[in-house]
Amino acid sequence: MFITNGWYCAAFASEMGAPFARRILGQPVLLVRDASGAPHAMGDRCPHRFAPLHKGSVIDDRIECPYHGLQFGMDGRCVHNPHGDGRIPGAAKVPVYPVVERDGLIWIWMGHPEAADPSSLPDLHLIDRSSRPIVGGHIMMDVDYRLVLDNLTDLSHAAYIHAGTLSPSRAKRESTNEATSHSVAVHTVMRGVPTPSIQALYFDQPVGDYHSDIEWIAPGIVRQQLAMTACGEDADAGAVTRNVHLITPATATSTHYFWMHTRNRLMDDRSIDEQTVAIITNAFTTEDEPMMAACQDYMGGKAFFSLKPLYLATDFAGTRCRRIVEGLIAAENGEGGHADADAMTDEIA
C-alpha cells in the first residue's frame, strides 16, 4: 500500500511546537519540538490503553499520557509510571521515527531507521527568496495518494478542469518524457496561448508560450517549473514559478498535500501572494479533489490496473509512476524487484 523507506513531508516547520498529531502512512504520529527546539516524531498511541499522547502535557521533554499519566521520553521509552511501585514494563514504549528539518519543512522516515539518510533528500529547486516566507499550504484530501500522483504527473487535465486559471484552455501540447527507477519527468510547451490568470499576476502579456516541467521523485516529491514567455523565447527568459507538491499518504483513502510556490517577478508583492494562495487552494479543493474523489468512488475499491484503464499518449508519466510505486512496495515486502515498467504500455494499451 505504501513505500515506507523514503522521506515524506510531515509538516511545515512553522507548525511545530506544542504536540500535535498527524496520520502518516496509516500510523498516528505525534510531532513535537523539545526544549532545545529540535523536532521529534513518535507514535501517538499510548501502549497502555491506546490514548492519543498528543492530548497530554509536555513535562521536561517528556510526553505525559492524558489518560493514566505514563510519561514517555523523546526516545519513545516510558520513563515514569505513577501507579503501584512505579515499575515500568518492558513494553512501555512507542515507536520513534527519524526526522529532518530542511527547507522550512519537517521530513519523516517511516521505514527502517537505519536506512534514513538525510543526504538522500533532493533539492527542492525553489527560487531563493532570502528570509521571506514561501507561499504555500497544506490540504487534506479524501483520496488515495496514487490518484493525487496521477493528477500531478499528467497535467493534460489542467486544460479542462483548470482552463484559464492554472493552464491555457485546450491548447496543443508538445511533450517529452523521461524516467529512471525512482523518478518520472514531463516537459511540455504550449505555444501562442492566452496567459492563464495565475501567470497573469506577474506576466503582463496576454499571449505567450507556456512552459511546464514537472518531475516526480519517489516516494512523494513533485518538483515543478512553470513559465510564461514571449512567443519563441526560452523558459528561463520569462515569468518563472517554481513549485513543489509534497504528497504524503495519510490512510489508504486520504492524503496530505503540501505545496510551496515561488516566483522570479514581483516577489515582494504580498497581494500576489494572497491571490496565488486563493487560486491554488480553490483549484485543488473545488476542482481536483472532487474529480479524484469521484474517480475513487467509481473504482469501487478495486486495484487500478485490474480495471484495465485506457492508455493515452499523456499517460506515460502517471502509469510509470504507479509501476515504480508498485515495484518499490514489492521490493520492501520481499516480493522481488521493480515491475517491468518498460513493458507497461503493452500491458494496458
Side-chain angles (χ1 to χ4, degrees), residues 99-280:
V99 292
V100 173
E101 183 169 355
R102 185 176 299 173
D103 298 318
L105 301 164
I106 303 299
W107 299 90
I108 190 168
W109 184 282
M110 299 292 289
H112 299 300
E114 64 276 7
D117 179 6
S119 69
S120 66
L121 264 171
D123 188 331
L124 296 183
H125 289 178
L126 290 172
I127 295 170
D128 178 18
R129 292 176 17 141
S130 301
S131 61
R132 281 207 56 211
I134 288 176
V135 178
H138 168 234
I139 300 170
M140 273 303 304
M141 293 187 165
D142 290 329
V143 293
D144 185 318
Y145 73 99
R146 289 165 293 192
L147 290 173
V148 184
L149 292 176
D150 283 344
N151 182 267
L152 289 168
T153 54
D154 173 17
L155 293 179
S156 66
H157 76 275
Y160 300 88
I161 291 183
H162 311 306
T165 54
L166 299 185
S167 171
S169 176
R170 305 185 183 214
K172 177 177 174 56
R173 299 167 59 87
E174 303 172 16
S175 296
T176 58
N177 305 292
E178 299 173 9
T180 72
S181 62
H182 286 72
S183 69
V184 180
V186 183
H187 312 284
T188 299
V189 179
M190 290 178 269
R191 302 187 185 280
V193 295
T195 302
S197 59
I198 193 166
Q199 273 82 26
L201 296 173
Y202 33 82
F203 181 73
D204 60 4
Q205 299 181 40
V207 174
D209 290 348
Y210 178 92
H211 306 257
S212 170
D213 295 285
I214 194 157
E215 178 187 24
W216 167 74
I217 303 169
I221 296 172
V222 179
R223 301 188 297 205
Q224 181 182 29
Q225 176 172 303
L226 294 174
M228 281 298 299
T229 69
C231 294
E233 288 189 343
D234 291 337
D236 291 339
V240 177
T241 67
R242 290 183 182 168
N243 314 286
V244 290
H245 312 267
L246 304 171
I247 309 308
T248 300
T251 68
T253 56
S254 62
T255 301
H256 299 284
Y257 167 60
F258 300 90
W259 63 273
M260 294 193 295
H261 168 104
T262 65
R263 60 183 180 271
N264 70 342
R265 294 188 178 180
L266 301 177
M267 295 163 62
D268 295 321
D269 189 330
R270 299 310 297 271
S271 69
I272 292 180
D273 291 352
E274 294 168 1
Q275 292 176 78
T276 297
V277 170
I279 291 171
I280 292 177

Side-chain angles (χ1 to χ4, degrees), residues 1-17:
M1 179 60 70
F2 309 120
I3 299 167
T4 62
N5 288 320
W7 291 106
Y8 289 96
C9 180
F12 286 104
S14 58
E15 296 182 87
M16 295 286 287

